[in-house]
Amino acid sequence: MILASCRPGDAVILPRDAHMSALGGLILAGARPVYSSLGAMEDRSWGPPDLEDLSAALASQAPRAVLLTRPSYAGSLFDLDVYAERIHAAGVTLLVDEAHGAHVGLHPALPEGALALGADAAVQSTHKMLGALTPGAMLHLKGGRLDQDRVHRALSLLQTTSPSYLVLASLDAARRKEALAPPERWEAPIRWARLARERIAGLPGLRVMPPGDPLKIGIDVTGAGLSGYEAADILAQEGVIIEHATHRLVVAFMGPGTRPGDLERLAEACLAFARHAPRNEPDPPMPPIPPMVLLPREAFFAESRPIPWSRALGEVSAELVCPYPPGAPALVPGERITPEVVEYLDDMRALGAQFVGPADPNFETIRIMA
Ligand SMILES: Cc1ncc(COP(=O)(O)O)c(C=O)c1O
């Protein structure tokens, strides 16, 4: 979507915690990222982007496109139509990462889809919530803001000339199934999820996130003195493998194959949180976004070399450095390594965070601009 809508140097507004595939799009297109701040919700994976901040960036940055993620992995939603109106009023294209929304619009109780709410393009990972084979996905377009010819050219650059007919057939089968199956088949899991939410909300220290996507149950475990990652480990010990964990949440998801017993087991397993000693230290807040010295594309093609992380202050990173938790990058290729970033990443390492991005799996070295 980014490659089809932007030319080198064009600005794209996107959330700092956009999926790493967005960085790939920025590199391929040579676009300039402008990071929108997220809403003020305690859990960033639940909060909507800040609308006023986005409006200010639309006015000051003259972007070519805005990329928003909806629903989030955790199932949060926001009023995309309101955002679409502002974005289109500024003459800008709205791209939506709808990876977690292949099921949107399939039942009145499910979230409305991005195209219905005004997006110009949305990409859905059909393999995530529907039955397509991994990595089957669909790109949906609407209206004339995105030049379809450029979309085709971008796709032919990115895709193999020998597509997997297994994946294509599975996409068509998933589509056909949803077209023909009665939408009521979504009603039972939606109802069970509601009942499970009510039950879990009554457990000590647990807060169930406001319903977004009704097929997702986001449970804030911080009141039990746990991070989402720790809670996911405890659930795994109880035999419940959770779909996703964030800094503060564990997220379960339902599908037409979910049975009431599955949710019973989830609620029972949540009782185990009370048997574990809570940790007390809060995770450090994210540092300010560091200055961008090179565009991601320039950084990608520049010469780089590894140096010990302990000597990296002041250098320009050649790597993405994304600690989990919380899963938002502290460094994007081309950004200056500031004292705040050094302190933050040192603290995160001491707390046992995993680092996605660096070539050195132990993050003892980092690649910097040569
Ligand atoms: C928000 C978001 N966007 C995009 C993707 C990439 O999707 P895929 O793995 O189907 O390429 C993911 C993967 O989890 C994601 O969470």
Side-chain angles (χ1 to χ4, degrees), residues 121-141:
V123 67
Q124 298 175 340
S125 297
T126 318
H127 68 96
K128 291 194 200 296
M129 290 295 279
L130 300 182
L133 292 177
T134 304
M138 294 189 191
L139 172 62
H140 303 284
L141 305 175

Side-chain angles (χ1 to χ4, degrees), residues 39-331:
M41 299 280 288
E42 290 158 70
D43 190 281
R44 298 165 57 110
S45 56
W46 205 266
D50 187 300
L51 185 57
E52 293 319 315
D53 183 77
L54 180 71
S55 300
L58 283 169
S60 66
Q61 304 288 334
R64 177 74 57 186
V66 173
L67 173 71
L68 297 173
T69 304
R70 179 188 181 275
S72 71
Y73 200 166
S76 69
L77 299 170
F78 54 88
D79 296 332
L80 186 68
D81 48 345
V82 178
Y83 288 73
E85 211 172 290
R86 292 252 182 133
I87 291 162
H88 288 158
V92 174
T93 304
L94 171 57
L95 314 172
V96 176
D97 178 345
E98 206 171 38
H100 296 285
H103 58 304
V104 296
L106 294 179
H107 183 278
L110 291 175
E112 260 190 285
L115 291 197
L117 294 171
D120 301 297
V123 67
Q124 298 175 340
S125 297
T126 318
H127 68 96
K128 291 194 200 296
M129 290 295 279
L130 300 182
L133 292 177
T134 304
M138 294 189 191
L139 172 62
H140 303 284
L141 305 175
K142 187 175 177 188
R145 259 189 211 88
L146 201 57
D147 178 351
Q148 295 215 4
D149 181 48
R150 279 201 56 196
V151 172
H152 286 132
R153 280 191 287 143
L155 283 174
S156 67
L157 208 66
L158 298 171
Q159 288 181 327
T160 170
T161 50
S162 313
S164 158
Y165 289 100
L166 285 177
V167 174
L168 289 179
S170 77
L171 280 167
D172 198 36
R175 179 209 56 75
R176 184 172 190 276
K177 173 149 198 176
E178 293 311 322
L180 299 180
E184 293 74 39
R185 76 198 191 97
W186 294 98
E187 285 171 8
I190 291 172
R191 193 171 59 251
W192 295 328
R194 197 183 58 244
L195 294 174
R197 252 189 227 105
E198 283 166 14
R199 175 143 175 228
I200 293 167
L203 299 179
L206 301 186
R207 188 166 69 100
V208 175
M209 300 308 285
D213 179 344
L215 294 174
K216 300 255 169 130
I217 305 179
I219 309 166
D220 184 333
V221 292
T222 50
L226 298 166
S227 73
Y229 301 88
E230 290 163 325
D233 285 345
I234 295 171
L235 291 175
Q237 284 159 25
E238 298 296 315
V240 173
I241 306 301
I242 207 81
E243 165 67 15
H244 179 53
T246 74
H247 218 180
R248 307 177 64 99
L249 304 178
V250 283
V251 181
F253 93 81
M254 325 302 123
T258 307
R259 297 284 161 263
D262 302 335
L263 294 161
E264 281 292 314
R265 280 183 63 198
L266 171 66
E268 288 294 319
C270 286
L271 292 172
F273 296 150
R275 296 199 291 273
H276 287 75
R279 70 181 186 138
N280 291 315
E281 72 284 3
D283 288 326
M286 284 284 294
I289 293 175
M292 184 171 61
V293 179
L294 296 172
L295 293 180
R297 181 185 178 85
E298 294 166 338
F300 181 82
F301 287 110
E303 290 296 327
S304 66
R305 65 188 167 92
I307 61 163
W309 168 244
S310 55
R311 294 215 314 268
L313 176 63
E315 303 287 353
V316 176
S317 178
E319 296 190 299
L320 175 78
V321 184
C322 187
Y324 280 81
L331 284 168

